[in-house]
Amino acid sequence: MPLKERNPREKITLAVMGIYLFLVLCVTVVPTDFTLDPKWLYHESVPVTYVHWMPFLDLIAGYSGAGKQILLNIIMTIPFGFLYGLIGKKPSLFSTVRATFLLSLSIELFQLLTTIFLLNHRRCDVTDLITNVTGGALGYLLYRCYLNLRNRTKK
């Protein structure tokens, strides 16, 4: 549906989604570490590789900050799952998970490319993909709860 035909509420939701996606890309793609002490994120003994294929390797190996990274990746995509529900025409859990997967995969592949060509500290990690999709699914479930509450108040 063209933007002109959308109601003001839909336009605001689209604007919020755009701002949210911009901020996610700034945090995930910009090759800058915004922390004052990056040791909370990367342990000195973490091997530098372009792609981490084993899920939850950092957590299993006990690297510092692994649990925090998992939680932050889940939290980061909860708004996406919720907003995707508001924007779409009655999306399903599957379509929301698919959209979150594609968003996360795009981010991870872009991080891989910037790591290879710009030699920064980003890496492509399957754990990030799993946790981002989990966050999107949780966002969708929050969206469904919101719909149920909204429908109850209308009655």
Side-chain angles (χ1 to χ4, degrees), residues 115-126:
T115 299
I116 292 170
F117 294 112
L118 300 177
L119 302 175
N120 63 29
H121 71 276
R122 299 293 188 175
R123 66 178 182 211
C124 183
D125 195 333
V126 72

Side-chain angles (χ1 to χ4, degrees), residues 133-149:
V133 169
T134 301
L138 289 173
Y140 174 79
L141 294 176
L142 287 174
Y143 160 74
R144 295 297 302 176
C145 291
Y146 163 76
L147 278 185
N148 288 339
L149 287 172

Side-chain angles (χ1 to χ4, degrees), residues 17 20-21 24-25 73-85 91-109 126-141:
M17 178 64 108
Y20 162 77
L21 289 174
V24 166
L25 292 177
N73 276 316
I74 291 171
I75 291 170
M76 179 181 74
T77 51
I78 288 174
F80 181 80
F82 185 85
L83 291 169
Y84 187 80
S92 66
L93 176 60
F94 177 77
S95 66
T96 305
V97 164
R98 182 181 60 222
T100 309
F101 174 80
L102 292 173
L103 171 69
S104 182
L105 182 64
S106 299
I107 291 168
E108 294 303 314
L109 291 176
V126 72
T127 303
D128 293 350
L129 198 58
I130 294 167
T131 54
N132 289 343
V133 169
T134 301
L138 289 173
Y140 174 79
L141 294 176

